[in-house]
Amino acid sequence: MKINDVILRTVVKGVVFIVLTLGVYLFFAGHNAPGGGFIGGLVLGSGIVLLYITFDIETVHKGMPFDFKKVAALGVLLATGTAVGSLFFDAPFLTQTDQYFDLPLLGKTHVSTVMLFEAGVALTVIGTLVTIILSISEDE
């Protein structure tokens, strides 16, 4: 017998939007304030896990056809690449650089290589978290 969970699914759609928005905010606030790739990745990953808990795995996979093991691997490569990239410019390991750019919609924006490193950390955390939860939930 299937449980009628229309209210749960409707509420989760709104809550997931709020959780994902908070995760993106924490990610972008991270290099100047508390937050960053790890916390942003945890919040984003928890939003994805909430979708998996509310809806079945097949439904979520239709909307997000990602292999989260590959997402984690991409994150590790991105974080490692930005860390090693400084060595190609005769700078110490994990050295960062930053610039101010005049972007069309955002105006004068501060962009740093730390953001690329934090993106790698976030992708690693999201991929690892979702992979662990999906592995735990699998039937034997």
Side-chain angles (χ1 to χ4, degrees), residues 33-47:
F38 187 77
I39 298 300
L42 279 177
V43 173
L44 290 168
S46 66

Side-chain angles (χ1 to χ4, degrees), residues 34-139:
F38 187 77
I39 298 300
L42 279 177
V43 173
L44 290 168
S46 66
I48 294 169
V49 169
L50 182 61
L51 285 174
Y52 277 114
I53 291 172
T54 305
F55 301 95
D56 57 354
I57 292 176
E58 291 80 22
T59 303
V60 177
H61 277 305
K62 285 180 194 173
M64 277 188 305
F66 301 120
D67 182 5
F68 286 99
K69 293 175 189 166
K70 291 180 182 176
V71 171
L74 175 67
V76 169
L77 287 174
L78 184 61
T80 306
T82 57
V84 173
S86 62
L87 297 177
F88 293 114
F89 297 101
D90 283 336
F93 185 68
L94 276 174
T95 299
Q96 65 144 348
T97 184
D98 61 336
Q99 285 284 358
Y100 283 94
F101 293 101
D102 205 12
L103 299 176
L105 293 175
L106 302 174
K108 192 172 185 180
T109 306
H110 179 245
V111 179
S112 173
T113 55
V114 172
M115 191 175 292
L116 290 174
F117 179 79
E118 293 289 346
V121 171
L123 288 174
T124 303
V125 170
I126 292 168
T128 304
L129 176 69
V130 175
T131 299
I132 288 172
I133 296 299
L134 288 177
S135 297
I136 290 172
S137 69
E138 285 180 354
D139 293 332

